[in-house]
Amino acid sequence: MGRWIPDMTKQTISVFAAGLMLGVTTVHAQSGASGAWDRQAAAAYLDQRVEWWSGWETAARERGTFCVSCHTTAPYGLARPMLRPAAGAGETPPERALLDSVTTRVTHWDEVGPFYADERYGAPKTSQSRGTEAILNALVLARRDERTGKLSDRTRRAFDNLWALQRAGGADEGAWPWLHFDLAPWETDEGPYHGAALAAVAVGLAPEGYGAHPDIRDNVARLGGYLRHRLDAQPPFNRVMALWASGALPDLLAEDRRRKIIGEIAGLRREDGGWSLSSLGAWERRDGTPVGTASDGYATGLVTLALQEAGLAREHEAVAGGLDWLARNQEPDGSWPASSLNREHDPASDRGRFMRDAATAYAVLALTASEVP
């Protein structure tokens, strides 16, 4: 995929940027922050999906572990702890299974094999698998520790594994090898940027001031440099990721650059208040079927979360509109709608629900972020 050029006029960007500077307030009902969504239904949906994934033969790996995915388990690890006050005080069995699996792989890092080995999938899948897993492991464990307020030994080990694989030089200095199966939106040419942004989020989540520790100062600086220097070539999807990462690395984006990106992303909002994945990249399905253009839960959840992490108040028009869309579009089973960017699937099938899994997790993250005082 080539360099992304936003399909919008300078006038549109200017209008939204001006609105941001004036502190535009909401014209939508702020129902997302008022509890007008079913937390327990969302929790039940997410638990059921990870319970299925942890027992799925295709996801199984050695030592009784299972792979961590960008669509089901990693978003779950981020979102599920945010629902615990309403869904029970302790970790649920699916949460425990994910944490146990990740912990086993972190503590036996030099003994377990990669998710996808060169011998079966061709080079450089081993290095890509290791880089991807190292980021997702740190992300899941950092979220868990962020909720307890104490950085655990296993999470320190996960970060040690992460930094050991960070590129220290070359064109991709500061990033990590990342899985590439030509599957949008995560496993494409732009995938390493997505992964680096998630690594930044993990650093920001880690408690006890971990991100400012002198031992990792150079690593964090390289990470921030990579995200800044590669930003202009990214599609809107990764610009959203940069906004999210800017909440974890406050010096990542200069103020004028941050405002410009916010204006661009806000300009992609649909009339119903939501966002569509189709507007965040030049996606084309492999089977020739059209990519849906309606607002969806994944794009809306991710964008609304990122805008809040970038410092916009929940009363801001774009944030409030996104929260309102999410509150109005939760499905009866607790999930939010989204569909594959790669091919048309039966939406009732387990594979057909992968994007719905991600949508539900990011919807929860956006909605619960709006509840923070």
Side-chain angles (χ1 to χ4, degrees), residues 109-239:
W109 186 248
D110 297 327
E111 303 165 26
V112 296
F115 288 157
Y116 302 95
D118 289 349
E119 292 77 10
R120 180 174 180 182
Y121 296 93
K125 284 295 176 287
T126 291
S127 64
Q128 290 178 353
S129 290
R130 287 300 196 191
T132 302
E133 183 185 359
I135 292 171
L136 299 183
N137 286 347
L139 186 68
V140 169
L141 294 180
R143 166 61 88 191
R144 199 268 182 184
D145 286 3
E146 183 259 348
R147 300 293 281 173
T148 66
K150 181 174 177 57
L151 190 67
S152 64
D153 290 341
R154 63 180 176 182
T155 304
R156 290 182 187 275
R157 175 68 182 274
F159 275 111
D160 288 344
N161 296 340
L162 174 77
W163 300 125
L165 295 176
Q166 186 186 35
R167 298 190 188 279
D172 293 325
E173 180 180 0
W176 286 261
W178 186 262
L179 279 169
H180 192 311
F181 283 110
D182 197 24
L183 293 172
W186 306 295
E187 297 170 3
T188 65
D189 291 344
E190 291 82 16
Y193 194 94
H194 176 82
L198 289 178
V201 171
V203 171
L205 288 174
E208 299 185 337
Y210 173 78
H213 197 281
D215 289 350
I216 64 167
R217 182 181 296 117
D218 291 343
N219 299 94
V220 174
R222 281 194 291 266
L223 171 56
Y226 172 84
L227 291 170
R228 277 190 299 274
H229 298 154
R230 293 301 186 93
L231 179 59
D232 289 342
Q234 300 306 311
F237 179 75
N238 275 348
R239 289 175 180 267

Side-chain angles (χ1 to χ4, degrees), residues 236-253:
F237 179 75
N238 275 348
R239 289 175 180 267
V240 173
M241 295 301 299
L243 280 179
W244 185 11
S246 72
L249 303 180
D251 297 330
L252 177 62
L253 299 176

Side-chain angles (χ1 to χ4, degrees), residues 16-42:
F16 276 93
L20 293 170
M21 295 177 185
L22 291 173
V24 180
T25 55
T26 179
V27 295
H28 295 282
Q30 177 41 11
S31 53
S34 65
W37 58 287
D38 192 333
R39 300 171 65 99
Q40 295 210 17

Side-chain angles (χ1 to χ4, degrees), residues 243-292:
L243 280 179
W244 185 11
S246 72
L249 303 180
D251 297 330
L252 177 62
L253 299 176
E255 182 62 18
D256 60 340
R257 206 171 197 192
R258 186 186 70 90
R259 287 179 178 272
K260 180 180 178 181
I261 297 172
I262 290 173
E264 293 173 354
I265 300 303
L268 298 175
R269 189 161 60 104
R270 295 176 57 81
E271 290 184 0
D272 61 3
W275 280 263
S276 170
L277 264 176
S278 63
S279 69
L280 300 184
W283 321 118
E284 292 184 5
R285 280 180 168 175
R286 292 180 172 186
D287 60 7
T289 58
V291 175

Side-chain angles (χ1 to χ4, degrees), residues 90-101:
E91 292 164 348
T92 64
E95 284 183 273
R96 186 77 264 153
L98 174 59
L99 291 169
D100 287 348
S101 178

